[in-house]
Amino acid sequence: MTVDRRALADAYGRTIPDVIDAGLKVLFVGINPGLYSAATGRHFARPGNRFWPALHRGGFTDRQLHPSEQQELLAYGLGITNVVARATARADELRPDEFVAGAQMLAAKAADFGPQWIALVGITAYRTGWRQPKAVIGEQPVGIGPSALWVLPNPSGLNAHYTPDSLAAEFAKLRERIG
C-alpha cells in the first residue's frame, strides 16, 4: 500500500484498533501510531520500522509478518496496542500528561485482558508515563496489573542506538525469558 502526503496529513490524530485478546502471552505496546500507521490502519506499518523483523528474528514468529498480517499475531498469543492512541508525526509531539494517562489506560487493559507479559516498546515512554526516570531496557521489577513488564528499545528506524541485530537480540531476551 502506498501512502501519499495528503493521506499522511489526514492521519494526524487518528487512532487504530488494538490487536488484542484475553490471555495473550505478550501484549506489545508502542508509543503511539505514526502517521503512516494511522493512514494504513496497521501497527508499525512504516517501511523501515524494525518491529516486524525484530519480532521474527527474536523468535516470536516462524516467519516475518507484514503489517497487513497483524491479526495473525493473535494465533501466536501476541497482541499490539499503544500507550497513546492518537497518531503524530513524531513521538516528541506527545505531552507528558498523555503518557501518564496512557499508563492508566494500559493498566485497565492489563486488568481486562490479562496478558502474561506487557512489552513496552520505547524506554522514554515508560520513563515518562510510569515516572521511572532511571529505568533501563529489560525486565522491570514491578509489572502492570497482573502482567509482568519488559521494556524494549523503540524499533523505529530513527533509533540509531540499536542496529537491526541488537534490536533482534533484545526481543530474543524477552522470548527466552517467557519460554
Side-chain angles (χ1 to χ4, degrees), residues 109-135:
K109 287 179 187 182
D112 289 346
F113 292 97
Q116 293 172 23
W117 285 86
I118 289 177
L120 207 137
V121 188
I123 188 74
T124 302
Y126 178 64
R127 287 175 178 163
T128 304
W130 284 262
R131 297 181 177 108
Q132 298 292 326
K134 296 184 190 262

Side-chain angles (χ1 to χ4, degrees), residues 137-151:
I137 298 292
E139 187 171 356
Q140 303 304 306
V142 177
I144 297 175
S147 308
L149 177 62
W150 194 284
V151 177

